[in-house]
Amino acid sequence: MSVLGVTKSFGSCEWVGVGVSEREISLLCQKYRMSDFLARLLLARGVGEKEVPSFLAPTLRENLPDPCFLKDMEKGAARVAQAVLKKESVGIIGDYDVDGATSTSVVKLFLEQVGCSVKTFIPEREDGYGPNEREMKRFFEDGIRLVLTVDCGMTAFEPIQAAYDMGMEVVVIDHHEPELSLPKAYAVINPKRLDEPVDNPCRHMAAVGVCFLFVVELNRLLRQGGFYEEAGRKEPDLKQWLDLVALGTVCDVVKLTGVNRLYVKAGLKQIRQGQNIGIRKLLEFAHLQEELSTYHLGYILGPLLNAGGRVGEASAAMRLLSSRSEQEAEILTQQLADHNAERKKIEADVLAEALKQVEETLTPQSRFLFAAGENWHQGVIGIIAGRLKERYHLPVFVLSIERDEVKGSSRSIPGVDLGETVMAALDRKVLTRGGGHPMAAGFSLTKEQIEPFKAFLEQYLSRFSLDEKARELKIDAVLDVRGATLNLVDELSCLEPFGEGNPEPRFALKDVWVSQVVPLKNGHLKCTLCGKGGGYLNAIAFRSEGTPLGKALAACKSDHLIHVAGVLKENVWQGCRSAQFIIQDAAEAVTGDSF
């Protein structure tokens, strides 16, 4: 059913409502004494009568799965526990994104707190993703015989084989899509292992979530073995690292349902306590005044932390998040801020070139977008792929062509699995390396493989359906401007944290006109939405200048009504709270069906 009769918006979407049972709405209202509005939103997210308490107030004690549910968990944790008891030095290799930085930090901080000597390695992008033989040899020469790979390692067959040949043991803790065989590691802990149940409760965890479970099991083994009592040590409070778990989970854009929702809800609470020096310094730098949410983790802290791995020093984020020094944390925060400013400039230049390529090749029959450039900075091609995906709503592949190698990054839309696509491309020998998730993947290839890879994509992506449902924009409720209030924002807060799998409620504001359209930096448009029947609301449309949406907002006057779709948020300015609408789409005001 089209909402407000919108079958093709300025963003080429059909607005559709989410059908829920009126009987179930009434049941939830009576049983839990909630509003009709809140009950409707819960049911639209698949939260039934029995799930309401655990959804609104999840607890670690009742909902955290047994870590040993995962294969090799007990074996890997037991080996690390042995290293703690024998005072062995341990090496940790992580990824250069936020999930990798938080994963490395969680394991490192725990091991150091129990007295273990730890050495870490975060590869630079030019080193390639994950462990390499050179670093394994360096660890060996430093006397390390046990290495943990976190947020990487599933496809690192040669480096892990090299470590094995040197007499080292490797424990892999990862969440990326596996190949048919496993690397020759002592233990491989991954909820996506092909021999794990497809419906296991950890399947959609970020790597940092799996690392937290690993720490839970390792702590249990140490406690049961009498380590803390014999060593005269206080057992660590594991909840202190949930801030890192929340940060990595949100920034890796995994589903915020089940255990992930629990991680983030508890982690946001932990962040507010300000115990992690690095996170606190980032918040101070960003001058955040409003209540912290997943938006701030994903769109403010995330880019700052990722900047080091993109254009600066890859280990900076991990060192900041695991720092115990106020001075060191301040220096690292400023370094990341400088790198982020550099990243924005580089990104703008590459995006302009990529847009030109896409516009020259785009046709109504295009099933994916492909852009490649000589020496495009590898650190921004993932962001460029994301920008193009948002603009054109198609799977996107962006390549940086270097002298001796081509690096690529891709972003997808619902229904097109990039992890599967890249693994299939590896099997067809049109890539040299690669891996990822359904919605994002990275890969490497040679210059000679570029055209065969494009041909492979033309053939392989045809198996995925790009039907009209991919262009549907789900609308939770229709409001007029006067109904979009701070009281409504406060009522919605119990549904947080929002993210993949638990989307922020999206509203359609009917019959509005637009005034005071002001361009901001980075192509954002700020404006005021005025209701046909009265009332007004401050609004912003991100990266919309020059797009069909941006042009429509700029042209809309009091004699030309439109409907707008988006989310309602709290805005804090100079200590004053107000409601603000984040515009995601708009359409001509045509009378039609509502809810």
PDB file of all heavy atoms in Angstrom, residues 1-9 14-17 473 475 477-480 507-512 562-566 585-595:
ATOM      1  N   MET A   1       0.839  -1.198   0.000  1.00  0.00           N
ATOM      2  CA  MET A   1       0.000   0.000   0.000  1.00  0.00           C
ATOM      3  C   MET A   1       0.869   1.241   0.000  1.00  0.00           C
ATOM      4  O   MET A   1       1.726   1.413   0.866  1.00  0.00           O
ATOM      5  CB  MET A   1      -0.905   0.017   1.250  1.00  0.00           C
ATOM      6  CG  MET A   1      -1.778   1.252   1.366  1.00  0.00           C
ATOM      7  SD  MET A   1      -2.804   1.224   2.844  1.00  0.00           S
ATOM      8  CE  MET A   1      -1.570   1.434   4.126  1.00  0.00           C
ATOM      9  N   SER A   2       0.684   2.095  -0.993  1.00  0.00           N
ATOM     10  CA  SER A   2       1.461   3.320  -1.058  1.00  0.00           C
ATOM     11  C   SER A   2       1.010   4.293   0.023  1.00  0.00           C
ATOM     12  O   SER A   2      -0.190   4.436   0.294  1.00  0.00           O
ATOM     13  CB  SER A   2       1.293   3.982  -2.429  1.00  0.00           C
ATOM     14  OG  SER A   2       1.808   3.157  -3.442  1.00  0.00           O
ATOM     15  N   VAL A   3       1.960   4.940   0.656  1.00  0.00           N
ATOM     16  CA  VAL A   3       1.672   5.944   1.675  1.00  0.00           C
ATOM     17  C   VAL A   3       1.528   7.301   1.006  1.00  0.00           C
ATOM     18  O   VAL A   3       2.392   7.714   0.222  1.00  0.00           O
ATOM     19  CB  VAL A   3       2.799   5.965   2.737  1.00  0.00           C
ATOM     20  CG1 VAL A   3       2.599   7.125   3.701  1.00  0.00           C
ATOM     21  CG2 VAL A   3       2.835   4.647   3.486  1.00  0.00           C
ATOM     22  N   LEU A   4       0.432   7.979   1.277  1.00  0.00           N
ATOM     23  CA  LEU A   4       0.145   9.306   0.730  1.00  0.00           C
ATOM     24  C   LEU A   4       0.154   9.307  -0.799  1.00  0.00           C
ATOM     25  O   LEU A   4       0.389  10.327  -1.446  1.00  0.00           O
ATOM     26  CB  LEU A   4       1.140  10.348   1.258  1.00  0.00           C
ATOM     27  CG  LEU A   4       1.086  10.618   2.762  1.00  0.00           C
ATOM     28  CD1 LEU A   4       2.235  11.527   3.183  1.00  0.00           C
ATOM     29  CD2 LEU A   4      -0.253  11.245   3.143  1.00  0.00           C
ATOM     30  N   GLY A   5      -0.093   8.135  -1.375  1.00  0.00           N
ATOM     31  CA  GLY A   5      -0.150   8.028  -2.826  1.00  0.00           C
ATOM     32  C   GLY A   5       1.184   8.159  -3.523  1.00  0.00           C
ATOM     33  O   GLY A   5       1.229   8.315  -4.745  1.00  0.00           O
ATOM     34  N   VAL A   6       2.294   8.084  -2.791  1.00  0.00           N
ATOM     35  CA  VAL A   6       3.618   8.277  -3.394  1.00  0.00           C
ATOM     36  C   VAL A   6       4.106   6.959  -4.000  1.00  0.00           C
ATOM     37  O   VAL A   6       4.461   6.025  -3.285  1.00  0.00           O
ATOM     38  CB  VAL A   6       4.629   8.797  -2.357  1.00  0.00           C
ATOM     39  CG1 VAL A   6       6.005   8.931  -3.007  1.00  0.00           C
ATOM     40  CG2 VAL A   6       4.181  10.128  -1.783  1.00  0.00           C
ATOM     41  N   THR A   7       4.105   6.888  -5.318  1.00  0.00           N
ATOM     42  CA  THR A   7       4.613   5.712  -6.018  1.00  0.00           C
ATOM     43  C   THR A   7       5.971   5.969  -6.652  1.00  0.00           C
ATOM     44  O   THR A   7       6.704   5.033  -6.969  1.00  0.00           O
ATOM     45  CB  THR A   7       3.631   5.265  -7.115  1.00  0.00           C
ATOM     46  OG1 THR A   7       3.396   6.362  -7.999  1.00  0.00           O
ATOM     47  CG2 THR A   7       2.310   4.809  -6.498  1.00  0.00           C
ATOM     48  N   LYS A   8       6.309   7.260  -6.844  1.00  0.00           N
ATOM     49  CA  LYS A   8       7.645   7.601  -7.330  1.00  0.00           C
ATOM     50  C   LYS A   8       8.014   8.972  -6.772  1.00  0.00           C
ATOM     51  O   LYS A   8       7.517  10.003  -7.223  1.00  0.00           O
ATOM     52  CB  LYS A   8       7.722   7.612  -8.848  1.00  0.00           C
ATOM     53  CG  LYS A   8       9.163   7.754  -9.340  1.00  0.00           C
ATOM     54  CD  LYS A   8       9.280   7.565 -10.833  1.00  0.00           C
ATOM     55  CE  LYS A   8      10.750   7.637 -11.276  1.00  0.00           C
ATOM     56  NZ  LYS A   8      10.902   7.471 -12.736  1.00  0.00           N
ATOM     57  N   SER A   9       8.896   8.965  -5.796  1.00  0.00           N
ATOM     58  CA  SER A   9       9.318  10.195  -5.131  1.00  0.00           C
ATOM     59  C   SER A   9      10.435  10.861  -5.931  1.00  0.00           C
ATOM     60  O   SER A   9      10.861  10.375  -6.979  1.00  0.00           O
ATOM     61  CB  SER A   9       9.826   9.867  -3.734  1.00  0.00           C
ATOM     62  OG  SER A   9      11.014   9.092  -3.821  1.00  0.00           O
ATOM     63  N   GLU A  14       9.048   4.287  -3.985  1.00  0.00           N
ATOM     64  CA  GLU A  14       7.650   4.189  -3.595  1.00  0.00           C
ATOM     65  C   GLU A  14       7.595   4.146  -2.082  1.00  0.00           C
ATOM     66  O   GLU A  14       8.323   3.375  -1.452  1.00  0.00           O
ATOM     67  CB  GLU A  14       6.997   2.932  -4.172  1.00  0.00           C
ATOM     68  CG  GLU A  14       5.543   2.782  -3.735  1.00  0.00           C
ATOM     69  CD  GLU A  14       4.869   1.519  -4.241  1.00  0.00           C
ATOM     70  OE1 GLU A  14       5.585   0.650  -4.799  1.00  0.00           O
ATOM     71  OE2 GLU A  14       3.647   1.385  -4.066  1.00  0.00           O
ATOM     72  N   TRP A  15       6.763   4.962  -1.493  1.00  0.00           N
ATOM     73  CA  TRP A  15       6.617   4.970  -0.043  1.00  0.00           C
ATOM     74  C   TRP A  15       5.574   3.931   0.356  1.00  0.00           C
ATOM     75  O   TRP A  15       4.421   3.981  -0.121  1.00  0.00           O
ATOM     76  CB  TRP A  15       6.180   6.350   0.452  1.00  0.00           C
ATOM     77  CG  TRP A  15       7.191   7.430   0.222  1.00  0.00           C
ATOM     78  CD1 TRP A  15       8.392   7.325  -0.421  1.00  0.00           C
ATOM     79  CD2 TRP A  15       7.076   8.800   0.613  1.00  0.00           C
ATOM     80  NE1 TRP A  15       9.049   8.527  -0.449  1.00  0.00           N
ATOM     81  CE2 TRP A  15       8.257   9.462   0.184  1.00  0.00           C
ATOM     82  CE3 TRP A  15       6.107   9.534   1.294  1.00  0.00           C
ATOM     83  CZ2 TRP A  15       8.474  10.812   0.407  1.00  0.00           C
ATOM     84  CZ3 TRP A  15       6.317  10.888   1.515  1.00  0.00           C
ATOM     85  CH2 TRP A  15       7.493  11.513   1.082  1.00  0.00           C
ATOM     86  N   VAL A  16       5.963   2.999   1.196  1.00  0.00           N
ATOM     87  CA  VAL A  16       5.062   1.917   1.584  1.00  0.00           C
ATOM     88  C   VAL A  16       4.944   1.848   3.105  1.00  0.00           C
ATOM     89  O   VAL A  16       5.906   2.113   3.832  1.00  0.00           O
ATOM     90  CB  VAL A  16       5.535   0.552   1.034  1.00  0.00           C
ATOM     91  CG1 VAL A  16       5.507   0.554  -0.475  1.00  0.00           C
ATOM     92  CG2 VAL A  16       6.918   0.214   1.532  1.00  0.00           C
ATOM     93  N   GLY A  17       3.775   1.502   3.559  1.00  0.00           N
ATOM     94  CA  GLY A  17       3.544   1.343   4.987  1.00  0.00           C
ATOM     95  C   GLY A  17       3.870  -0.057   5.446  1.00  0.00           C
ATOM     96  O   GLY A  17       3.967  -0.990   4.638  1.00  0.00           O
ATOM     97  N   LEU A 473      10.578   2.636   0.131  1.00  0.00           N
ATOM     98  CA  LEU A 473      10.968   3.368   1.331  1.00  0.00           C
ATOM     99  C   LEU A 473       9.897   3.117   2.379  1.00  0.00           C
ATOM    100  O   LEU A 473       8.736   3.521   2.223  1.00  0.00           O
ATOM    101  CB  LEU A 473      11.079   4.872   1.027  1.00  0.00           C
ATOM    102  CG  LEU A 473      11.774   5.710   2.101  1.00  0.00           C
ATOM    103  CD1 LEU A 473      13.267   5.400   2.128  1.00  0.00           C
ATOM    104  CD2 LEU A 473      11.558   7.198   1.846  1.00  0.00           C
ATOM    105  N   ILE A 475       7.683   3.487   5.517  1.00  0.00           N
ATOM    106  CA  ILE A 475       7.181   4.595   6.328  1.00  0.00           C
ATOM    107  C   ILE A 475       6.444   4.026   7.531  1.00  0.00           C
ATOM    108  O   ILE A 475       5.531   3.205   7.377  1.00  0.00           O
ATOM    109  CB  ILE A 475       6.233   5.506   5.517  1.00  0.00           C
ATOM    110  CG1 ILE A 475       6.916   6.030   4.250  1.00  0.00           C
ATOM    111  CG2 ILE A 475       5.721   6.650   6.380  1.00  0.00           C
ATOM    112  CD1 ILE A 475       8.061   6.969   4.487  1.00  0.00           C
ATOM    113  N   ALA A 477       4.836   5.961  10.010  1.00  0.00           N
ATOM    114  CA  ALA A 477       3.635   6.728  10.358  1.00  0.00           C
ATOM    115  C   ALA A 477       3.627   8.037   9.585  1.00  0.00           C
ATOM    116  O   ALA A 477       4.672   8.526   9.147  1.00  0.00           O
ATOM    117  CB  ALA A 477       3.584   7.014  11.862  1.00  0.00           C
ATOM    118  N   VAL A 478       2.423   8.597   9.423  1.00  0.00           N
ATOM    119  CA  VAL A 478       2.253   9.893   8.775  1.00  0.00           C
ATOM    120  C   VAL A 478       1.929  10.931   9.845  1.00  0.00           C
ATOM    121  O   VAL A 478       1.083  10.698  10.715  1.00  0.00           O
ATOM    122  CB  VAL A 478       1.123   9.843   7.727  1.00  0.00           C
ATOM    123  CG1 VAL A 478       0.884  11.235   7.133  1.00  0.00           C
ATOM    124  CG2 VAL A 478       1.459   8.847   6.637  1.00  0.00           C
ATOM    125  N   LEU A 479       2.614  12.059   9.783  1.00  0.00           N
ATOM    126  CA  LEU A 479       2.398  13.135  10.745  1.00  0.00           C
ATOM    127  C   LEU A 479       2.186  14.442   9.999  1.00  0.00           C
ATOM    128  O   LEU A 479       2.548  14.566   8.825  1.00  0.00           O
ATOM    129  CB  LEU A 479       3.628  13.306  11.657  1.00  0.00           C
ATOM    130  CG  LEU A 479       4.125  12.126  12.489  1.00  0.00           C
ATOM    131  CD1 LEU A 479       5.444  12.500  13.152  1.00  0.00           C
ATOM    132  CD2 LEU A 479       3.106  11.726  13.535  1.00  0.00           C
ATOM    133  N   ASP A 480       1.602  15.416  10.691  1.00  0.00           N
ATOM    134  CA  ASP A 480       1.738  16.770  10.168  1.00  0.00           C
ATOM    135  C   ASP A 480       2.819  17.460  10.990  1.00  0.00           C
ATOM    136  O   ASP A 480       3.297  16.926  11.992  1.00  0.00           O
ATOM    137  CB  ASP A 480       0.404  17.537  10.174  1.00  0.00           C
ATOM    138  CG  ASP A 480      -0.159  17.784  11.568  1.00  0.00           C
ATOM    139  OD1 ASP A 480       0.630  17.822  12.542  1.00  0.00           O
ATOM    140  OD2 ASP A 480      -1.376  17.960  11.684  1.00  0.00           O
ATOM    141  N   PHE A 507       9.164   8.789   9.333  1.00  0.00           N
ATOM    142  CA  PHE A 507       7.854   9.427   9.230  1.00  0.00           C
ATOM    143  C   PHE A 507       7.711  10.149   7.899  1.00  0.00           C
ATOM    144  O   PHE A 507       8.688  10.604   7.305  1.00  0.00           O
ATOM    145  CB  PHE A 507       7.669  10.444  10.370  1.00  0.00           C
ATOM    146  CG  PHE A 507       7.820   9.845  11.728  1.00  0.00           C
ATOM    147  CD1 PHE A 507       8.952  10.105  12.494  1.00  0.00           C
ATOM    148  CD2 PHE A 507       6.847   9.016  12.258  1.00  0.00           C
ATOM    149  CE1 PHE A 507       9.104   9.554  13.747  1.00  0.00           C
ATOM    150  CE2 PHE A 507       6.989   8.458  13.510  1.00  0.00           C
ATOM    151  CZ  PHE A 507       8.119   8.729  14.268  1.00  0.00           C
ATOM    152  N   ALA A 508       6.469  10.250   7.456  1.00  0.00           N
ATOM    153  CA  ALA A 508       6.128  11.107   6.329  1.00  0.00           C
ATOM    154  C   ALA A 508       5.392  12.325   6.883  1.00  0.00           C
ATOM    155  O   ALA A 508       4.398  12.179   7.600  1.00  0.00           O
ATOM    156  CB  ALA A 508       5.249  10.361   5.332  1.00  0.00           C
ATOM    157  N   LEU A 509       5.914  13.500   6.602  1.00  0.00           N
ATOM    158  CA  LEU A 509       5.233  14.752   6.964  1.00  0.00           C
ATOM    159  C   LEU A 509       4.442  15.209   5.744  1.00  0.00           C
ATOM    160  O   LEU A 509       5.020  15.457   4.678  1.00  0.00           O
ATOM    161  CB  LEU A 509       6.245  15.825   7.369  1.00  0.00           C
ATOM    162  CG  LEU A 509       7.149  15.532   8.568  1.00  0.00           C
ATOM    163  CD1 LEU A 509       8.052  16.728   8.846  1.00  0.00           C
ATOM    164  CD2 LEU A 509       6.325  15.202   9.800  1.00  0.00           C
ATOM    165  N   LYS A 510       3.147  15.308   5.897  1.00  0.00           N
ATOM    166  CA  LYS A 510       2.304  15.591   4.732  1.00  0.00           C
ATOM    167  C   LYS A 510       2.047  17.088   4.568  1.00  0.00           C
ATOM    168  O   LYS A 510       2.009  17.849   5.534  1.00  0.00           O
ATOM    169  CB  LYS A 510       0.972  14.857   4.862  1.00  0.00           C
ATOM    170  CG  LYS A 510       0.128  15.248   6.063  1.00  0.00           C
ATOM    171  CD  LYS A 510      -1.163  14.457   6.101  1.00  0.00           C
ATOM    172  CE  LYS A 510      -2.030  14.870   7.301  1.00  0.00           C
ATOM    173  NZ  LYS A 510      -3.302  14.141   7.343  1.00  0.00           N
ATOM    174  N   ASP A 511       1.904  17.478   3.321  1.00  0.00           N
ATOM    175  CA  ASP A 511       1.485  18.828   2.955  1.00  0.00           C
ATOM    176  C   ASP A 511       2.332  19.916   3.610  1.00  0.00           C
ATOM    177  O   ASP A 511       1.869  20.671   4.465  1.00  0.00           O
ATOM    178  CB  ASP A 511      -0.002  19.037   3.316  1.00  0.00           C
ATOM    179  CG  ASP A 511      -0.920  18.104   2.553  1.00  0.00           C
ATOM    180  OD1 ASP A 511      -0.557  17.722   1.432  1.00  0.00           O
ATOM    181  OD2 ASP A 511      -1.989  17.753   3.073  1.00  0.00           O
ATOM    182  N   VAL A 512       3.592  19.989   3.215  1.00  0.00           N
ATOM    183  CA  VAL A 512       4.473  21.025   3.749  1.00  0.00           C
ATOM    184  C   VAL A 512       5.024  21.864   2.599  1.00  0.00           C
ATOM    185  O   VAL A 512       5.035  21.441   1.443  1.00  0.00           O
ATOM    186  CB  VAL A 512       5.646  20.429   4.558  1.00  0.00           C
ATOM    187  CG1 VAL A 512       5.145  19.549   5.674  1.00  0.00           C
ATOM    188  CG2 VAL A 512       6.610  19.658   3.660  1.00  0.00           C
ATOM    189  N   ILE A 562       4.582  19.787  -0.817  1.00  0.00           N
ATOM    190  CA  ILE A 562       5.197  18.481  -0.997  1.00  0.00           C
ATOM    191  C   ILE A 562       5.005  17.660   0.281  1.00  0.00           C
ATOM    192  O   ILE A 562       4.596  18.180   1.323  1.00  0.00           O
ATOM    193  CB  ILE A 562       6.709  18.589  -1.313  1.00  0.00           C
ATOM    194  CG1 ILE A 562       7.457  19.263  -0.146  1.00  0.00           C
ATOM    195  CG2 ILE A 562       6.935  19.318  -2.616  1.00  0.00           C
ATOM    196  CD1 ILE A 562       8.976  19.265  -0.316  1.00  0.00           C
ATOM    197  N   HIS A 563       5.267  16.372   0.186  1.00  0.00           N
ATOM    198  CA  HIS A 563       5.399  15.507   1.358  1.00  0.00           C
ATOM    199  C   HIS A 563       6.891  15.237   1.549  1.00  0.00           C
ATOM    200  O   HIS A 563       7.625  15.098   0.557  1.00  0.00           O
ATOM    201  CB  HIS A 563       4.679  14.163   1.170  1.00  0.00           C
ATOM    202  CG  HIS A 563       3.235  14.278   0.795  1.00  0.00           C
ATOM    203  ND1 HIS A 563       2.366  15.128   1.431  1.00  0.00           N
ATOM    204  CD2 HIS A 563       2.500  13.625  -0.167  1.00  0.00           C
ATOM    205  CE1 HIS A 563       1.164  15.004   0.902  1.00  0.00           C
ATOM    206  NE2 HIS A 563       1.223  14.094  -0.071  1.00  0.00           N
ATOM    207  N   VAL A 564       7.354  15.132   2.780  1.00  0.00           N
ATOM    208  CA  VAL A 564       8.755  14.776   3.027  1.00  0.00           C
ATOM    209  C   VAL A 564       8.822  13.549   3.928  1.00  0.00           C
ATOM    210  O   VAL A 564       7.942  13.341   4.777  1.00  0.00           O
ATOM    211  CB  VAL A 564       9.563  15.941   3.660  1.00  0.00           C
ATOM    212  CG1 VAL A 564       9.633  17.120   2.716  1.00  0.00           C
ATOM    213  CG2 VAL A 564       8.978  16.356   4.989  1.00  0.00           C
ATOM    214  N   ALA A 565       9.842  12.735   3.732  1.00  0.00           N
ATOM    215  CA  ALA A 565      10.047  11.532   4.545  1.00  0.00           C
ATOM    216  C   ALA A 565      11.403  11.608   5.224  1.00  0.00           C
ATOM    217  O   ALA A 565      12.371  12.104   4.643  1.00  0.00           O
ATOM    218  CB  ALA A 565       9.962  10.283   3.680  1.00  0.00           C
ATOM    219  N   GLY A 566      11.477  11.128   6.446  1.00  0.00           N
ATOM    220  CA  GLY A 566      12.743  11.128   7.166  1.00  0.00           C
ATOM    221  C   GLY A 566      12.565  10.742   8.609  1.00  0.00           C
ATOM    222  O   GLY A 566      11.559  10.122   8.985  1.00  0.00           O
ATOM    223  N   ASP A 585      13.841  11.915   1.843  1.00  0.00           N
ATOM    224  CA  ASP A 585      13.184  11.853   0.545  1.00  0.00           C
ATOM    225  C   ASP A 585      12.031  12.859   0.549  1.00  0.00           C
ATOM    226  O   ASP A 585      11.643  13.376   1.604  1.00  0.00           O
ATOM    227  CB  ASP A 585      12.660  10.435   0.281  1.00  0.00           C
ATOM    228  CG  ASP A 585      12.385  10.165  -1.203  1.00  0.00           C
ATOM    229  OD1 ASP A 585      12.671  11.048  -2.034  1.00  0.00           O
ATOM    230  OD2 ASP A 585      11.874   9.077  -1.516  1.00  0.00           O
ATOM    231  N   ALA A 586      11.484  13.130  -0.627  1.00  0.00           N
ATOM    232  CA  ALA A 586      10.338  14.028  -0.741  1.00  0.00           C
ATOM    233  C   ALA A 586       9.569  13.667  -1.997  1.00  0.00           C
ATOM    234  O   ALA A 586      10.087  12.977  -2.898  1.00  0.00           O
ATOM    235  CB  ALA A 586      10.779  15.493  -0.771  1.00  0.00           C
ATOM    236  N   ALA A 587       8.324  14.108  -2.055  1.00  0.00           N
ATOM    237  CA  ALA A 587       7.477  13.792  -3.204  1.00  0.00           C
ATOM    238  C   ALA A 587       6.433  14.881  -3.371  1.00  0.00           C
ATOM    239  O   ALA A 587       6.107  15.614  -2.432  1.00  0.00           O
ATOM    240  CB  ALA A 587       6.799  12.435  -3.010  1.00  0.00           C
ATOM    241  N   GLU A 588       5.901  14.974  -4.584  1.00  0.00           N
ATOM    242  CA  GLU A 588       4.803  15.905  -4.824  1.00  0.00           C
ATOM    243  C   GLU A 588       3.629  15.535  -3.935  1.00  0.00           C
ATOM    244  O   GLU A 588       3.346  14.356  -3.706  1.00  0.00           O
ATOM    245  CB  GLU A 588       4.364  15.852  -6.288  1.00  0.00           C
ATOM    246  CG  GLU A 588       5.423  16.289  -7.280  1.00  0.00           C
ATOM    247  CD  GLU A 588       5.622  17.799  -7.275  1.00  0.00           C
ATOM    248  OE1 GLU A 588       4.859  18.507  -6.575  1.00  0.00           O
ATOM    249  OE2 GLU A 588       6.534  18.276  -7.968  1.00  0.00           O
ATOM    250  N   ALA A 589       2.933  16.525  -3.410  1.00  0.00           N
ATOM    251  CA  ALA A 589       1.795  16.287  -2.520  1.00  0.00           C
ATOM    252  C   ALA A 589       0.579  15.877  -3.334  1.00  0.00           C
ATOM    253  O   ALA A 589      -0.149  16.717  -3.860  1.00  0.00           O
ATOM    254  CB  ALA A 589       1.499  17.525  -1.689  1.00  0.00           C
ATOM    255  N   VAL A 590       0.405  14.554  -3.470  1.00  0.00           N
ATOM    256  CA  VAL A 590      -0.753  14.002  -4.172  1.00  0.00           C
ATOM    257  C   VAL A 590      -1.578  13.249  -3.159  1.00  0.00           C
ATOM    258  O   VAL A 590      -1.055  12.463  -2.369  1.00  0.00           O
ATOM    259  CB  VAL A 590      -0.313  13.043  -5.302  1.00  0.00           C
ATOM    260  CG1 VAL A 590      -1.521  12.453  -6.005  1.00  0.00           C
ATOM    261  CG2 VAL A 590       0.572  13.783  -6.294  1.00  0.00           C
ATOM    262  N   THR A 591      -2.866  13.464  -3.125  1.00  0.00           N
ATOM    263  CA  THR A 591      -3.729  12.781  -2.166  1.00  0.00           C
ATOM    264  C   THR A 591      -3.694  11.286  -2.424  1.00  0.00           C
ATOM    265  O   THR A 591      -3.791  10.829  -3.567  1.00  0.00           O
ATOM    266  CB  THR A 591      -5.179  13.278  -2.291  1.00  0.00           C
ATOM    267  OG1 THR A 591      -5.188  14.687  -2.093  1.00  0.00           O
ATOM    268  CG2 THR A 591      -6.067  12.606  -1.255  1.00  0.00           C
ATOM    269  N   GLY A 592      -3.568  10.522  -1.360  1.00  0.00           N
ATOM    270  CA  GLY A 592      -3.530   9.072  -1.508  1.00  0.00           C
ATOM    271  C   GLY A 592      -3.811   8.381  -0.211  1.00  0.00           C
ATOM    272  O   GLY A 592      -4.188   9.001   0.780  1.00  0.00           O
ATOM    273  N   ASP A 593      -3.641   7.043  -0.219  1.00  0.00           N
ATOM    274  CA  ASP A 593      -3.912   6.247   0.974  1.00  0.00           C
ATOM    275  C   ASP A 593      -2.880   6.529   2.031  1.00  0.00           C
ATOM    276  O   ASP A 593      -1.724   6.823   1.754  1.00  0.00           O
ATOM    277  CB  ASP A 593      -3.881   4.753   0.638  1.00  0.00           C
ATOM    278  CG  ASP A 593      -5.031   4.353  -0.263  1.00  0.00           C
ATOM    279  OD1 ASP A 593      -6.091   4.995  -0.144  1.00  0.00           O
ATOM    280  OD2 ASP A 593      -4.848   3.431  -1.068  1.00  0.00           O
ATOM    281  N   SER A 594      -3.305   6.435   3.273  1.00  0.00           N
ATOM    282  CA  SER A 594      -2.388   6.553   4.398  1.00  0.00           C
ATOM    283  C   SER A 594      -2.413   5.231   5.133  1.00  0.00           C
ATOM    284  O   SER A 594      -2.480   4.176   4.534  1.00  0.00           O
ATOM    285  CB  SER A 594      -2.808   7.728   5.287  1.00  0.00           C
ATOM    286  OG  SER A 594      -1.869   7.902   6.313  1.00  0.00           O
ATOM    287  N   PHE A 595      -2.390   5.283   6.465  1.00  0.00           N
ATOM    288  CA  PHE A 595      -2.408   4.034   7.234  1.00  0.00           C
ATOM    289  C   PHE A 595      -3.824   3.735   7.670  1.00  0.00           C
ATOM    290  O   PHE A 595      -4.599   4.640   7.951  1.00  0.00           O
ATOM    291  CB  PHE A 595      -1.512   4.166   8.466  1.00  0.00           C
ATOM    292  CG  PHE A 595      -0.052   4.097   8.122  1.00  0.00           C
ATOM    293  CD1 PHE A 595       0.660   5.241   7.808  1.00  0.00           C
ATOM    294  CD2 PHE A 595       0.598   2.882   8.093  1.00  0.00           C
ATOM    295  CE1 PHE A 595       1.998   5.172   7.495  1.00  0.00           C
ATOM    296  CE2 PHE A 595       1.942   2.809   7.785  1.00  0.00           C
ATOM    297  CZ  PHE A 595       2.642   3.960   7.480  1.00  0.00           C
TER     298      PHE A 595
END
